[in-house]
């Protein structure tokens, strides 16, 4: 083709490009949007980012990039997983919703009530130490002379002293955008090559989630009252689950939020596994924040046991603001476990498997848990399935950390000390030995755990099983013989 005028060439190329683009759009199938259902949303916001950008203009870009990649990778978000991420749940898949400035938004479609608590625990575990990983990665890709202040300390110290991650979780039922009665919709814009997989969530509960996220606190996980209620409601069918939920979820404040609950104060719920040690969790000036108003009112030492801020109060609160009926309808839409899962659960209960760890410190004192109903015990992990891929070491160490917030060390293949039959159960129990690697002074601050010598246990008046005393002496003999 010969074109004398360059402008004609540009016009011809433009026409061809236009035809090609129209053909591409015509032949591009519409992307599959999530089906209508119940969605769990997470917001991860970089706290302190505005001041960080102002103080460190040469450093912030690398830090923000590391924040995005680390959050998406560590959380196992679809298409962004790190190679070592093994959180591959084909049913409950985390997906990127969108990035808004220094905020990462993730959504998960849920169908099972049990998935809610599992997602919260897993995300909270990932959140713990995530900022340190971001700082380390940013340090590796940045040279120390990028800092805008000559007198500043190392890059990691700068990041950790300025930034944190505010995490929020909320729940909403969303429908296809064609449903005129929906309070929340899944919006799917017209397909182009540039937004092939883009979707958006719009509606009342979506807005409420963002309002709640405004009151999130650095390095803490905040929940909407609806989500917290769903987890509490699900746990009521099991006494042990109910105790765990009651101790790990607390109402830290009541806040009136614009456009939410018609001006009525909204309970702000926080998830944490160590509310009895709040003085170790909170920074020195956090108690003055509006989000911790209930903690300040009750006193930092008494907050965990103050019934006014118990998670079960949300049941009455939802009724008071005429939202309980809607919450119950949503609860009914999330299914129980499948028949196969229930069948497996029944088998497990009939012949379950429990693990109890006898935990020793360097002085050979035994760490025991005091329960008002059951007396003193070393604690235990219940209904452990042989399908669990974890090693003995990982199972015990992670289990005691999650259930009791206790750090322990066990052997890779621990030697069994004794077997036992749990009370009121047909399960089988195994006792193994573990070491406490931490500072005993941390345990001294707790009301539910304490160190005891074998002599004190033998002569004590507290409720403790006779076979446990035998197991303790057998374990001491094994330790003296070097069989640990």
């Amino acid at each position: 083709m010969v074109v004398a005028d360059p402008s004609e060439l540009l016009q011809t190329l433009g026409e061809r490009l236009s035809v090609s683009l129209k053909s591409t759009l015509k032949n591009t199938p519409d992307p599959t949007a999530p089906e209508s259902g119940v969605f769990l949303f997470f917001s991860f916001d970089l706290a302190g980012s505005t001041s960080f950008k102002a103080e460190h203009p040469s450093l912030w870009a690398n830090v923000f990039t590391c924040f995005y990649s680390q959050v998406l990778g560590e959380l196992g978000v679809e298409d962004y997983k790190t190679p070592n991420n093994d959180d591959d749940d084909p049913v409950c898949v985390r997906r990127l919703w969108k990035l808004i400035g220094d905020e990462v938004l993730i959504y998960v479609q849920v169908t099972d009530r049990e998935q809610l608590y599992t997602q919260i625990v897993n995300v909270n575990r990932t959140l713990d130490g995530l900022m340190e990983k971001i700082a380390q990665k940013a340090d590796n890709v940045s040279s120390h002379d990028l800092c805008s202040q000559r007198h500043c300390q190392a890059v990691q110290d700068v990041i950790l002293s300025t930034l944190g991650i505010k995490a929020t979780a909320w729940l909403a039922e969303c429908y296809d955008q064609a449903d005129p009665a929906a309070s929340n919709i899944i919006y799917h814009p017209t397909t182009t090559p540039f937004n092939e997989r883009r979707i958006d969530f719009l509606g009342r509960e979506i807005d409420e989630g963002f309002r709640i996220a405004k009151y999130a606190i650095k390095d803490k996980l905040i929940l909407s009252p609806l989500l917290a209620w769903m987890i509490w409601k699900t746990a009521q069918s099991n006494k042990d689950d109910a105790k765990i939920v009651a101790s790990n979820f607390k109402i830290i404040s009541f806040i009136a939020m614009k456009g939410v609950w018609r001006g009525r104060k909204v309970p702000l719920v926080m998830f944490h596994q160590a509310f009895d040690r709040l003085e170790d969790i909170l920074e020195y000036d956090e108690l003055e924040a509006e989000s911790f108003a209930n903690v300040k009112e009750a006193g930092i030492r008494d907050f965990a046991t103050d019934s006014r801020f118990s998670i079960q109060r949300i049941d009455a609160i939802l009724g008071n603001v005429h939202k309980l009926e809607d919450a119950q309808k949503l609860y009914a839409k999330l299914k129980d476990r499948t028949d196969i899962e229930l069948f497996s659960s029944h088998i497990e209960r009939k012949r379950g498997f429990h693990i109890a760890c006898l935990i020793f410190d360097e002085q050979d004192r035994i760490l025991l848990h005091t329960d008002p109903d059951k007396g003193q015990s070393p604690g235990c992990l219940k209904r452990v399935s042989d399908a669990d891929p974890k090693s003995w070491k990982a199972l015990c160490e992670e289990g005691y950390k999650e259930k009791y917030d206790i750090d322990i060390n066990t052997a890779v293949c621990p030697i069994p000390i004794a077997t036992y039959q749990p009370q009121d159960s047909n399960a089988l129990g195994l006792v193994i030995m573990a070491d406490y690697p931490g500072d005993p002074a941390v345990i001294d601050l707790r009301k539910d755990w304490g160190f005891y010598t074998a002599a004190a246990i033998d002569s004590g008046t507290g409720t403790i099983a006779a076979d446990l005393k035998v197991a303790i002496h057998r374990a001491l003999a094994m330790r003296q013989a070097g069989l640990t």
Side-chain angles (χ1 to χ4, degrees), residues 42 44 74-75 87-89 92 94 115-128 221 271 273 390 398 402:
F42 290 98
F44 299 91
E74 292 291 329
L75 286 168
D87 186 14
D88 191 9
D89 186 342
C92 222
R94 298 180 191 135
Q115 294 167 347
L116 299 176
Y117 179 75
T118 301
Q119 285 288 319
I120 293 300
V121 171
N122 289 344
V123 167
N124 187 72
R125 186 186 296 121
T126 302
L127 185 64
D128 185 24
L221 180 54
F271 170 80
Q273 294 170 311
K390 295 179 181 177
E398 293 176 12
E402 179 180 328

Side-chain angles (χ1 to χ4, degrees), residues 153-171:
Q153 60 270 49
V155 170
Q156 290 190 44
D157 291 338
V158 170
I159 295 171
L160 294 176
S161 64
T162 311
L163 299 173
I165 300 175
K166 298 189 295 184
T168 311
W170 70 95
L171 199 66

Side-chain angles (χ1 to χ4, degrees), residues 1 3 7-17:
M1 178 181 67
V3 181
S7 62
E8 293 181 9
L9 175 62
L10 293 177
Q11 182 178 355
T12 301
L13 290 176
E15 290 173 352
R16 288 188 177 184
L17 180 60

Side-chain angles (χ1 to χ4, degrees), residues 3-59:
V3 181
D5 188 348
S7 62
E8 293 181 9
L9 175 62
L10 293 177
Q11 182 178 355
T12 301
L13 290 176
E15 290 173 352
R16 288 188 177 184
L17 180 60
S18 177
V19 171
S20 175
L21 182 58
K22 289 179 180 178
S23 176
T24 301
L25 291 176
K26 183 178 180 180
N27 296 320
T28 300
D30 288 338
T32 302
E35 295 181 1
S36 300
V38 181
F39 292 83
L40 181 59
F41 298 94
F42 290 98
S43 164
F44 299 91
D45 196 359
L46 201 55
S49 59
T50 302
S51 59
F52 187 85
K53 282 187 287 187
E55 294 174 10
H56 308 283
S58 301
L59 183 59

Side-chain angles (χ1 to χ4, degrees), residues 54 274 403:
K403 185 173 181 180

Side-chain angles (χ1 to χ4, degrees), residues 463-481:
T463 304
I464 186 168
D467 56 351
L468 179 57
K469 294 182 180 181
V470 173
I472 289 172
H473 284 282
R474 186 179 297 168
L476 285 170
M478 293 172 65
R479 291 176 73 83
Q480 292 171 0

